[in-house]
Amino acid sequence: MATHENLNVLPNPTPTPTTPSPAPAAAPAHRTLGATGPSVFPIGLGCMGMSALYGEADRAESLATIHAALDAGVTLLDTGDFYGMGHNELLINEALRTAPAAAREQALTSVKFGALRTVEGGFTGYDGRPEAVRNFLAYSLQRLGRDHIDIYRIARVDPDVPIEETVGAIAEAVEAGHVRHIGLSEVGADTLRRAAAVAPIADLQIEYSLISRGIEAEILPTARELGIGITAYGVLSRGLISGHFARDRALAPGDFRGMSPRFQGANLDRNLDLVDALRKVAENKGVSVAQTAIAWVLSRGEDIVPLVGARRRDRLAEALGAAEITLGAADLAAIEEAVPVGAAAGDRYPAAQMAHLDSEH
């Protein structure tokens, strides 16, 4: 018979006191995109900058950033078929193929379509015809390597095609199983109502930040009346209110911000003065400027999911930290005082692009 000695254990071992490990922080509660959309992590990853419009990106770091986002619980990956003329969709395809199966299965793709490009990279308009919708969709599914897209939306309203026809074509793709949910992008309240009368709309993707608050007057109330969620892009205004943009920063060739009115001359100085004021609020709270700006968007309602355009893992980690921040009444009042409504200098796009925004008319 075995003895305690030859089992190399004591007959009645005395437990060694240990310090209990702290409980892991609870994961941020998911948010539902509208009345009919999917449940998602409260912050989504906008992938555009990994392929276009902000200068050259590091491919390896881009892939690592997507993987880090998925590992952190992020579910919504936002892209457009015209970001790098398909490059961004192929990048997401690669990231998902090389991610662990569990992370790959939780990923949801949000895709914008319709922008017409030139070989040189110019934009020549938008195409929302039903036959174009079907064409764009076929190519996106191939590039993404998926049998469906979770949220599909035209990037800008085609002025020559009624929104009812464009949304109707996406609704047909939903019925066929190629798309799960219908979204919209940068549309005004009237267009939102017309689209919602055709088929359920999960969310409206639109710029919303401390310095871009135009949706609060009419668009946001209409979306809420119709049960449509908001995916807010530009929450850091393309880095302008991130706390990392220097007054003397030289922009790379092809960087969109080189043409953006808010980054020009006196406008830039005025806007960075606002950032300096916001920095004081952030420092008093013990968080970063970027986290404060993202947390402010999160505080606007459970129906709003901010998209962050992180291209690096360190920026991603900073952004995701905003989901752990609670802004009290005093914090919100201090933020409003630092960055009053309408205080930003310059439009959010150059005049030619502003003309394409149904949301601004």
Side-chain angles (χ1 to χ4, degrees), residues 47-139:
C47 300
M48 180 188 75
M50 299 176 182
S51 298
L53 299 180
Y54 290 113
E56 189 171 348
D58 183 320
R59 182 181 185 82
E61 182 61 23
S62 295
L63 291 169
T65 300
I66 296 174
H67 287 161
L70 295 172
D71 186 58
V74 172
T75 53
L76 190 63
L77 302 179
D78 184 76
T79 185
D81 64 8
F82 51 93
Y83 293 166
M85 284 75 137
H87 177 277
N88 205 237
E89 290 179 319
L90 291 169
L91 184 76
I92 290 174
N93 179 335
E94 182 177 351
L96 293 178
R97 281 191 292 106
T98 54
R104 184 167 60 249
E105 290 168 4
Q106 76 179 9
L108 303 176
T109 52
S110 169
V111 179
K112 290 177 290 296
F113 69 89
L116 304 176
R117 306 291 302 271
T118 66
V119 173
E120 294 75 23
F123 288 85
T124 60
Y126 298 90
D127 193 344
R129 295 171 302 141
E131 55 267 41
V133 174
R134 291 186 282 271
N135 179 76
F136 288 128
L137 176 59
Y139 279 89

Side-chain angles (χ1 to χ4, degrees), residues 87-360:
H87 177 277
N88 205 237
E89 290 179 319
L90 291 169
L91 184 76
I92 290 174
N93 179 335
E94 182 177 351
L96 293 178
R97 281 191 292 106
T98 54
R104 184 167 60 249
E105 290 168 4
Q106 76 179 9
L108 303 176
T109 52
S110 169
V111 179
K112 290 177 290 296
F113 69 89
L116 304 176
R117 306 291 302 271
T118 66
V119 173
E120 294 75 23
F123 288 85
T124 60
Y126 298 90
D127 193 344
R129 295 171 302 141
E131 55 267 41
V133 174
R134 291 186 282 271
N135 179 76
F136 288 128
L137 176 59
Y139 279 89
S140 283
L141 290 170
Q142 178 68 24
R143 285 188 292 260
L144 288 167
R146 295 169 79 86
D147 63 5
H148 72 275
I149 289 169
D150 294 285
I151 311 173
Y152 201 50
R153 71 189 84 240
I154 190 165
R156 300 287 186 269
V157 174
D158 181 345
D160 298 323
V161 178
I163 194 65
E164 291 86 350
E165 293 185 16
T166 303
V167 169
I170 305 175
E172 291 176 1
V174 172
E175 292 177 4
H178 304 313
V179 171
R180 293 283 169 81
H181 303 280
I182 304 171
L184 292 168
S185 176
E186 286 289 355
V187 305
D190 289 344
T191 303
L192 202 57
R193 290 186 187 281
R194 289 169 52 199
V198 175
I201 306 297
D203 73 324
L204 167 63
Q205 188 174 121
I206 195 163
E207 187 165 355
Y208 187 40
S209 73
L210 272 169
I211 62 172
S212 296
R213 297 178 63 173
I215 73 170
E216 293 177 344
E218 187 177 8
I219 295 173
L220 181 55
T222 301
R224 285 175 168 162
E225 175 193 335
L226 297 171
I228 297 171
I230 299 290
T231 42
Y233 77 88
V235 294
L236 296 179
S237 198
R238 300 161 185 85
L240 181 59
I241 60 172
S242 67
H244 301 298
F245 198 92
R247 294 175 189 270
D248 59 351
R249 178 172 174 176
L251 296 172
D255 192 316
F256 162 81
R257 292 170 292 191
M259 300 181 296
S260 173
R262 288 183 173 173
F263 288 83
Q264 308 304 313
N267 286 351
L268 179 61
D269 288 335
R270 166 59 180 159
N271 293 330
L272 290 181
D273 285 344
L274 297 175
V275 176
D276 289 340
L278 185 62
R279 192 184 310 277
K280 296 177 182 177
V281 178
E283 289 173 349
N284 288 337
K285 185 75 173 172
V287 299
S288 74
V289 175
Q291 289 171 334
T292 303
I294 298 167
W296 180 88
V297 176
L298 283 164
S299 77
R300 298 297 86 192
E302 294 293 322
D303 54 348
I304 297 175
V305 173
L307 300 172
V308 297
R311 302 197 295 173
R312 296 172 5 202
R313 284 167 286 181
D314 58 339
R315 292 286 192 255
L316 172 71
E318 178 186 20
L320 295 183
E324 306 294 336
I325 297 171
T326 299
L327 298 177
D331 299 318
L332 293 171
I335 292 170
E336 293 280 353
E337 182 177 356
V339 188
V341 177
D347 287 332
R348 54 196 182 99
Y349 286 103
Q353 294 186 39
M354 288 292 287
H356 284 293
L357 298 178
D358 181 78
S359 55
E360 294 288 338

